[in-house]
Amino acid sequence: MSWWLERTMIIFCWICGFTLLAAITTILGYLLYQGLGSINLRLIFGNTSVVDALLLRKHVFAGLFPAMVGTVAVVTLSVGFAIPVGIAGGIYMAEYARGGVKAVLGFCFDILAGVPSVVIGLSGFALAIFLHRHFSAAIYPSLFISSLSLAVLVLPYIIRSTQFALESLPADTRRIAVALGATKLQNIVYVLIPRSLSAIFSGIILAIGRCAEDTAVIMLTGAVAFAGVPKSLFAQYEALPFYIYYISSQYANQQELLSGYGASLILMLICALLFFVASMTRKGVACQALYRT
Amino acid sequence: MANRLEKITEWILTLSALVSAFITVLIFVFLLIFGLPLLQGGQWFDLLASPWSPREGLYGIRPMLLGTVYISLLGMAFAFPLSFGCAALISVFAPRSFGGFLRKVVQLMTGIPTVVYGFVGIFLLVPMVREILQGGSGMCLLTASLMLSILISPTLILFFVDGFDRAPRSHLDAVAALGGNEMQQFIFVILPNAWSNVLSGIVLAFGRVLGDTLIALMIAGNAVQVPGSVLESARTLTAHVALVIAADYDSPEFKSIFACGITLYLFSAMMVVLIRSIGAISGRKKR
């Protein structure tokens, strides 16, 4: 291979690296430059006093508070749905499923993980119409439908991360308790799960991040631009990512646009924070704090 | 007693796994039921092939289908060389410290919300494209695919790096012992070892681009037309679903979005099958 070709390839690689760094620095820098100035209590609470807003005594009109509450509510609910089913499914896949059943189930989860979020949102919407027609006229696209759809979105991630966490344990660890006379369930509860807890936990945190950032699902299943703090499970609600999308297309004045930058920055900080927690957990730092025996 | 507990637990675990797998099927069934009126009477292919003009009663999704394909292909065309270069830099050519730094940045990028990319795209990239290329509003195929390429690069890079790092140390040392340099190690040992990772990374990323909603919705302009150049506005299947959802529940427009949904579902399922067959083929080769 000629010397010149090698040089060109290496230079090309360096150009790629710096292009990527430049792109991401520009994106983050632009967001910080535009948004940092707008982040203050007024951005979040508008003209309402902080205490009144937190105690839900008064409505917050010109602030991000309802959207933040909505995001927290929808993420909590959906993760609440997805974690028990996901972890149970993951344990089944790793410890009980064998042969053909395991292959078929694994194929299903891979397909589910690949389904675009907008399609999951669409089926959530269809579910809402179906329930509205056949069960109760009170059911519309709402917080409940959104959190169910988001739970479906992250379910395959939780199952797979639990499964891989259990499967990657060394074979010795797997055999010791059984050799001492423990049953299969005892082995799972007292040995395998505690040993893989940090990996399972980091999978869950990544799933939370995915719930918090997803926009396509919630915009089809009940997130709206103005709803205030959600009052019931079957009410429409506001959410940060949807607010950002809404502002980008419908902003009326500079003030609103600035709050869009602020919201983007807040959402990004939340996601970055979750991401760091997840990577710290995988390194086992948080594991020791959680599971001290 | 203990035996019964074992049985009950196993039963619950099995049930959870079955329910989760059933949801995969259920989603498709829901789409089919709602799209059924369109599928009956062989209208399916008409729908995929015909244009969108509600005034003449045509609700074909061909413009959206082509829009999706164009945007995804162009996005991949930008993202692939960029990611390949970055991945080679991280795992082979860069000094360890810089490679590690770049890897951290790439990992962090996977956590940035899509809607934030879209937001910055509207207010930073769109005006830039408009000024530099003097092409209309700036909301066009090119802008959307540029932003998409940034969105999927981390996925591609992490997959490639994973493949590159898998080259056996002893083979690399053998090349070095014969007097080969880094580039020769890369071309003759690392690349042949990594092809299945590279391929499945590409397929996975392509699936993500096809399914991405927000970026195309926010910065591709959403005009219902088959784009004639990269500077023209386009609408993707995903954006179409998001835009039409507000319409009347019984209208034919509304039913057409289920055709979009079914198409997207089948596309993504196809990608999964592809990735699995790549994995199976490379696994057989290694044995």
Side-chain angles (χ1 to χ4, degrees):
Chain A
M1 174 167 299
S2 80
W3 186 84
W4 276 109
L5 206 60
E6 284 180 14
R7 282 287 101 176
T8 325
M9 283 261 299
I10 290 179
I11 290 171
F12 168 77
C13 289
W14 281 98
I15 291 176
C16 287
F18 280 107
T19 310
L20 191 81
L21 278 181
I24 200 64
T25 319
T26 315
I27 290 173
L28 296 187
Y30 178 75
L31 210 58
L32 279 174
Y33 173 72
Q34 298 279 356
L36 210 55
S38 72
I39 288 195
N40 50 31
L41 280 179
R42 243 183 94 83
L43 172 76
I44 297 174
F45 294 104
N47 297 324
T48 320
S49 86
V50 178
V51 179
D52 283 348
L54 285 178
L55 295 176
L56 305 180
R57 260 186 266 155
K58 281 186 187 153
H59 287 295
V60 175
F61 287 108
L64 293 175
F65 182 66
M68 290 169 83
V69 173
T71 290
V72 170
V74 81
V75 169
T76 315
L77 277 169
S78 50
V79 174
F81 290 133
I83 284 180
V85 182
I87 290 188
I91 295 175
Y92 176 78
M93 285 294 283
E95 302 300 324
Y96 292 91
R98 291 289 171 265
V101 176
K102 186 170 181 173
V104 171
L105 287 179
F107 183 62
C108 282
F109 299 146
D110 278 3
I111 296 226
L112 191 59
V115 173
S117 59
V118 75
V119 175
I120 291 178
L122 184 60
S123 7
F125 182 77
L127 175 75
I129 299 177
F130 180 77
L131 293 177
H132 178 74
R133 281 186 192 151
H134 297 283
F135 287 98
S136 157
I139 297 178
Y140 283 103
S142 59
L143 189 57
F144 178 68
I145 300 287
S146 277
S147 37
L148 268 189
S149 314
L150 278 181
V152 170
L153 184 75
V154 295
L155 191 59
Y157 295 94
I158 297 184
I159 293 178
R160 285 306 205 184
S161 58
T162 309
Q163 183 192 344
F164 291 139
L166 287 171
E167 281 176 351
S168 57
L169 288 173
D172 288 348
T173 317
R174 196 172 284 282
R175 290 193 202 111
I176 290 171
V178 179
L180 291 173
T183 62
K184 189 170 193 177
L185 184 62
Q186 284 170 334
N187 190 23
I188 293 174
V189 173
Y190 294 116
V191 180
L192 301 184
I193 291 185
R195 279 309 187 99
S196 49
L197 201 68
S198 70
I200 295 177
F201 193 65
S202 86
I204 288 173
I205 293 173
L206 289 182
I208 294 177
R210 189 117 166 72
C211 279
E213 68 122 352
D214 195 273
T215 322
V217 169
I218 60 170
M219 72 191 288
L220 298 187
T221 53
V224 289
F226 300 104
V229 175
K231 294 200 177 47
S232 87
L233 270 181
F234 297 99
Q236 295 186 314
Y237 63 100
E238 294 179 30
L240 270 183
F242 185 77
Y243 181 81
I244 297 169
Y245 165 69
Y246 177 81
I247 288 296
S248 75
S249 56
Q250 315 273 343
Y251 68 96
N253 51 40
Q254 199 60 27
Q255 182 72 35
E256 283 193 6
L257 182 60
L258 275 180
S259 73
Y261 285 111
S264 307
L265 211 53
I266 291 176
L267 185 64
M268 226 184 60
L269 288 179
I270 294 173
C271 289
L273 191 72
L274 286 172
F275 187 82
F276 275 119
V277 174
S279 62
M280 294 297 274
T281 319
R282 208 174 299 141
K283 283 180 194 140
V285 178
C287 176
Q288 288 166 359
L290 263 176
Y291 223 94
R292 213 178 281 144
T293 41
Chain B
M1 180 60 213
N3 199 13
R4 183 178 293 169
L5 188 67
E6 299 259 329
K7 277 273 167 276
I8 294 175
T9 318
E10 182 172 352
W11 193 76
I12 293 175
L13 296 178
T14 315
L15 192 72
S16 317
L18 286 181
V19 165
S20 318
F22 183 63
I23 289 172
T24 315
V25 183
L26 198 68
I27 288 176
F28 194 62
V29 170
F30 252 124
L31 295 176
L32 273 185
I33 291 175
F34 276 81
L36 202 59
L38 286 167
L39 300 179
Q40 281 166 344
Q43 282 182 34
W44 174 244
F45 287 101
D46 293 354
L47 203 70
L48 287 185
S50 61
W52 175 270
S53 59
R55 249 176 278 156
E56 297 161 40
L58 287 173
Y59 297 98
I61 54 173
R62 190 171 74 108
M64 285 59 115
L65 200 62
L66 289 177
T68 298
V69 172
Y70 291 162
I71 285 188
S72 311
L73 286 180
L74 198 60
M76 285 303 288
F78 288 129
F80 176 69
L82 180 72
S83 310
F84 194 83
C86 285
L89 196 63
I90 288 176
S91 66
V92 187
F93 298 120
R96 196 156 285 267
S97 56
F98 184 76
F101 166 71
L102 199 57
R103 191 195 295 247
K104 278 267 155 8
V105 171
V106 170
Q107 281 170 347
L108 185 68
M109 279 176 75
T110 58
I112 297 179
T114 320
V115 70
V116 170
Y117 281 121
F119 194 82
V120 175
I122 289 190
F123 297 107
L124 188 68
L125 192 62
V126 168
M128 268 163 66
V129 170
R130 185 168 54 215
E131 292 303 314
I132 294 171
L133 295 170
Q134 306 284 327
S137 68
M139 291 203 177
C140 59
L141 227 143
L142 179 72
T143 326
S145 39
L146 277 175
M147 212 62 203
L148 271 175
S149 68
I150 300 291
L151 175 77
I152 51 160
S153 294
T155 316
L156 281 169
I157 294 174
L158 291 178
F159 251 84
F160 292 175
V161 168
D162 204 33
F164 293 165
D165 283 350
R166 213 182 269 173
R169 191 70 243 172
S170 55
H171 293 200
L172 292 178
D173 290 343
V175 175
L178 291 171
N181 60 10
E182 272 185 337
M183 180 56 82
Q184 284 157 340
Q185 288 180 338
F186 181 63
I187 290 178
F188 296 111
V189 177
I190 297 177
L191 266 190
N193 240 300
W195 72 268
S196 75
N197 273 63
V198 170
L199 219 54
S200 28
I202 292 174
V203 176
L204 189 85
F206 194 68
R208 275 202 68 188
V209 184
L210 281 176
D212 184 78
T213 314
L214 262 292
I215 289 189
L217 180 63
M218 288 167 93
I219 58 185
N222 293 322
V224 184
Q225 59 179 16
V226 178
S229 81
V230 291
L231 291 179
E232 277 183 33
S233 163
R235 183 188 280 201
T236 60
L237 290 169
T238 48
H240 185 65
V241 172
L243 286 168
V244 173
I245 201 86
D248 178 21
Y249 292 175
D250 283 322
S251 64
E253 284 107 320
F254 182 70
K255 282 177 186 133
S256 83
I257 64 176
F258 286 94
C260 294
I262 294 171
T263 314
L264 282 168
Y265 189 102
L266 291 178
F267 260 140
S268 62
M270 219 160 65
M271 295 300 149
V272 172
V273 174
L274 257 178
I275 293 180
R276 291 194 140 225
S277 19
I278 294 168
I281 291 170
S282 74
R284 209 177 304 144
K285 255 194 182 163
K286 290 220 171 85
R287 246 179 273 138

